[in-house]
Every structure is written in structure tokens, then in C-alpha cells.
Amino acid sequence: MEQQLIRCVGCGVQIQTEDEKQIGYAPPAALEKETVICQRCFRLKHYNEVQDVSLADDDFLKILHEIGKSDGLVVKIVDIFDFNGSWLPGLHRFVGKNNILLVGNKVDLLPKSVKYPKLIHWMKKSAKDLGLKPVDVFLISAEKGIGMKKVMEAIDHYRFGKDVYVVGCTNVGKSTFINRIIKEVTGEGNVITTSHFPGTTLDMIEIPLEDGAVMYDTPGIINHHQMAHYVDKKDLKIITPKKEIKPKVYQLNESQTLFFGGLARLDYVKGGRRSFVCYFSNELNIHRTKLEKADHLYEKQRGELLQPPRASYMEQFPPLVAHSFTIKEPKTDIVFSGLGWVTCNEPGAQIVAYVPKGVNVILRKSLI
Ligand code: GDP
């Protein structure tokens, strides 16, 4: 109980010793010290490295609200492999007059044939449809170092000497991005000291920029509609692409079904013979069957032939829920949030997409 009163001398967050992934974590031994610093601030101070932590929805809204009241540049990071799932829907209502740079990370996962200008155009259009008007849009790979120089120049240009707020939901690669910037800006030197930390409870940490302004790392918000929350760690490794995705093309007749492991399913109900292009982790097993056999197969083989999820995790796995669509536009993606997507090139197909209860499935204009 006593623990509840302790705050981090760095960022002001309330200290907890239970969950390393959550904000405010400090190892129990740290509580014996006179001043307590949370693990996130500790890492930044001693290793010049930020760590990803996540935050409950309400607290995240508070942070966005604070950003709206301040004057600076907002850098919003999305995962280009999970564009809609990592979007942060409410952001435009909060940022106020602040400029936004939209940064699509993990571009290394997309097939090499993808043309960057076309994809950037697609991102601009999608952002507009989702209510956001960024001043500029970039594609990067924080991990591979692709496009970093350009985006750093843009940050410097658009911040006009003011502060920078980096936002994004968990797992978009925000920490990887910031750590790369810290390395580029500071070299290996330890320029970050606790005196730079704000004594507030905003849960944002400050990284000083050359001219006295600061870059704020905000905690990521968990997107509950992503597939990642419904599988265990080992299966997450299978469904998270690590390398360039090799699209798999299926010529389907009416009344055929594709299973994506046992995590999702696509029934092609009506519309003549046509091709479906699947963009998923190369390791995810895709199984084709007849629609009439699909229910029985799933009943018998989930956790076995149809995995992930592995058998031991099946009990906790939510039931698959059907979503019916008619494809009306040419070049449409059927997106399984956080898992991947299937492109249908010609309109007119009747399909049913199955995802675990709680996971989103949407249609969008084709990304590739
Ligand atoms: P955060 O939660 O937003 O801070 O995300 P992290 O920086 O911890 O990254 C989440 C995961 O995405 C990690 O497994 C990273 O290795 C991976 N990741 C980050 N940047 C990239 C990238 O540019 N390409 C790829 N393929 N993976 C990335």
C-alpha cells in the first residue's frame, strides 16, 4: 500500500513493481533507494535508450489532451503492415493547431516492388479519409535505418524550434525510432540527465534537442482490436513478419475457403473464378478447402493442422465471428487487423471474413 505514494524522480509517474511492460515499473530493490527512478527513465539516463511502455486508454487521452494544449510538432508513427490497426483514431481531435508528421514504419516488410511515392500518396489519402491532415508523410524502417535522414530533417524543419511529441500505439516501433534518433543526435555520449526530466505526471519523457527544445517520448497505447492480444508469445512470433513479405496468390472458385492458420478465415462465396493475393507473415500457414467442408475442418483441426493458435492456447482463443462483404471497388484489401490482408482486384466478389471476436476486419483501397 505504501508503494502507491512513490513517484519517479525522473518523469513523475507513480511507481509500481508488478508489471515490467507497464508504465512506472521499477524492480522491487529500487524501492530501497532514497530516490526512486522508474525503469524507463533509468534506461534513458544510463543507456540513452528509451523503452516501450504502455498505458491505459484514459491516461493516454490525458496525454493527447496535454499535447493539444501545448505548442509543438506531433510525430505520429504507424506500422505500415498494420496501418489501420495502429492508427490512433482520436488523434486529430486532440492535437489542436499543432502540425503532424505522419511516419509509416516497417517499410522493409513490404515487397520490394512497392513504389514509395505511390504508397505515400495512399497514406495521405487514407489519413484524410480518417480525418487527419499531416503536413508531410514519410516511409521509414527504423530498424533497418531506411528513410531516417529525411524524416529527421523534416522534424527539424517543421518543428520551427519548438518541442516534438512522438506518439504511436504499442509495437509500431516508436522506441526503435527514438533510439535511432538519440544515437544519431548524441552519438554515444550520455547527455541525458534527470535534471532534464519534467517533474510532472504526464508520463512523457524528455530528450533534449540541440537548441533547448525537447523531444517527448509518450507511452504507447494498446490497441485492443489487434490479433496480437489473442495469441501467445510463440505464436506472435509466427504471425509477426520479420522479413519482406512474399505475397501468395490463390486462384479461387466460388465456394472455396482460405484458412490463415486457425486465426482467421476467408470464404469466397460468389463471383466466378478469380485471384486473391495474400499478404501475411511468410511463416503463417494458409490452407485452402471447400466452403462446405470448412466448418467441420475448423472444428476438427484448429490448434492442429490449422495453427496458430497452438492446441494449448485454444481454450483461451475467442470464437471466430463472420463478417459479410460484397467487394464494390476494384483493387480492394480485406484487412485482418494485425495479421495481414488479402487483395481482391476485381469488384463483384461476395465474401465472408472470419476473425476472433474482438478483432477488426475492414475493407480499404488496396495499399499495393
Ligand atoms: P514500440 O512499442 O512502438 O516502442 O515498438 P518497438 O520499438 O519496441 O518495436 C516493436 C517491434 O517492431 C519490435 O519487435 C521491433 O523489432 C519491430 N520493429 C521496429 N522497427 C521496425 C522496422 O523498421 N522494421 C521491422 N520489420 N520491424 C521493426
Side-chain angles (χ1 to χ4, degrees):
M1 284 295 107
E2 217 176 282
Q3 198 178 311
Q4 286 185 354
L5 300 168
I6 302 174
R7 290 190 176 277
C8 167
V9 295
C11 64
V13 68
Q14 195 168 306
I15 295 287
Q16 52 92 11
T17 54
E18 309 284 306
D19 187 349
E20 218 172 318
K21 276 278 168 194
Q22 296 296 315
I23 192 139
Y25 175 80
L31 298 186
E32 285 157 26
K33 304 236 172 77
E34 220 164 273
T35 53
V36 180
I37 182 167
C38 75
Q39 182 157 284
R40 182 159 161 250
C41 287
F42 182 88
R43 289 264 284 266
L44 180 61
K45 183 170 179 248
H46 294 285
Y47 306 117
N48 269 351
E49 203 179 83
V50 298
Q51 180 193 15
D52 50 325
V53 290
S54 52
L55 201 63
D57 306 21
D58 288 357
D59 292 330
F60 190 72
L61 289 182
K62 269 186 224 148
I63 287 189
L64 291 184
H65 201 73
E66 278 314 309
I67 294 177
K69 286 195 292 191
S70 26
D71 186 16
L73 173 69
V74 176
V75 178
K76 164 167 166 157
I77 312 216
V78 294
D79 177 347
I80 196 71
F81 178 68
D82 187 17
F83 185 84
N84 304 80
S86 63
W87 178 253
L88 293 182
L91 185 66
H92 62 282
R93 289 199 300 272
F94 290 92
V95 288
K97 292 193 291 291
N98 296 326
N99 279 332
I100 300 179
L101 277 187
L102 179 62
V103 177
N105 187 30
K106 309 194 188 180
V107 73
D108 56 297
L109 295 178
L110 300 184
K112 291 265 177 340
S113 57
V114 171
K115 302 273 181 295
Y116 284 19
K118 202 180 145 213
L119 186 50
I120 284 179
H121 180 76
W122 179 92
M123 284 171 71
K124 282 185 183 158
K125 165 98 178 40
S126 303
K128 196 169 161 224
D129 291 347
L130 291 161
L132 195 78
K133 279 215 192 83
V135 283
D136 215 338
V137 175
F138 291 88
L139 277 173
I140 62 158
S141 167
E143 203 163 81
K144 300 277 179 326
I146 301 169
M148 286 300 292
K149 194 159 177 281
K150 258 187 165 172
V151 77
M152 282 168 66
E153 278 166 12
I155 289 174
D156 229 21
H157 173 74
Y158 285 112
R159 75 185 177 90
F160 302 111
K162 296 177 198 152
D163 296 342
V164 181
Y165 299 85
V166 186
V167 299
C169 83
T170 51
N171 232 24
V172 294
K174 191 161 60 63
S175 316
T176 311
F177 174 79
I178 292 179
N179 286 330
R180 206 165 247 285
I181 293 186
I182 293 177
K183 277 223 176 74
E184 303 259 338
V185 176
T186 67
E188 294 302 316
N190 185 359
V191 299
I192 296 149
T193 67
T194 40
S195 65
H196 288 108
F197 297 139
T200 68
T201 53
L202 280 183
D203 304 339
M204 297 198 260
I205 54 180
E206 299 188 358
I207 297 136
L209 302 172
E210 282 155 57
D211 53 5
V214 277
M215 183 163 78
Y216 290 99
D217 175 34
T218 64
I221 187 165
I222 296 174
N223 186 327
H224 301 280
H225 302 295
Q226 286 172 307
M227 194 67 81
H229 303 298
Y230 299 92
V231 296
D232 71 353
K233 273 201 181 129
K234 280 188 205 146
D235 285 340
L236 188 57
K237 277 202 179 133
I238 295 173
I239 69 169
T240 308
K242 267 156 233 78
K243 280 198 276 211
E244 181 188 336
I245 293 166
K246 305 269 180 256
K248 295 193 182 99
V249 186
Y250 287 85
Q251 300 289 338
L252 296 190
N253 295 319
E254 289 181 359
S255 302
Q256 284 194 319
T257 292
L258 294 177
F259 278 103
F260 307 101
L263 294 169
R265 159 180 166 185
L266 181 72
D267 290 353
Y268 177 35
V269 181
K270 210 162 186 280
R273 187 171 166 81
R274 63 173 69 220
S275 60
F276 291 86
V277 190
C278 303
Y279 297 88
F280 293 89
S281 159
N282 300 337
E283 269 103 90
L284 182 70
N285 176 33
I286 302 179
H287 186 89
R288 183 211 305 238
T289 188
K290 286 189 178 144
L291 176 53
E292 61 189 33
K293 290 189 177 158
D295 283 343
H296 184 69
L297 184 79
Y298 190 69
E299 202 52 47
K300 277 247 157 336
Q301 292 292 341
R302 60 194 178 138
E304 305 296 333
L305 173 71
L306 304 177
Q307 64 161 296
R310 58 197 63 222
S312 57
Y313 205 74
M314 215 57 235
E315 247 172 57
Q316 298 154 62
F317 191 69
L320 294 185
V321 179
H323 303 260
S324 301
F325 300 99
T326 301
I327 309 286
K328 299 214 175 78
E329 304 287 333
K331 290 195 151 292
T332 298
D333 290 343
I334 306 143
V335 184
F336 302 84
S337 190
L339 187 66
W341 65 91
V342 178
T343 304
C344 184
N345 286 320
E346 308 290 333
Q350 258 183 48
I351 56 145
V352 183
Y354 290 76
V355 276
K357 194 165 184 257
V359 174
N360 278 352
V361 52
I362 58 153
L363 299 186
R364 71 177 180 201
K365 189 168 170 36
S366 176
L367 176 139
I368 292 174

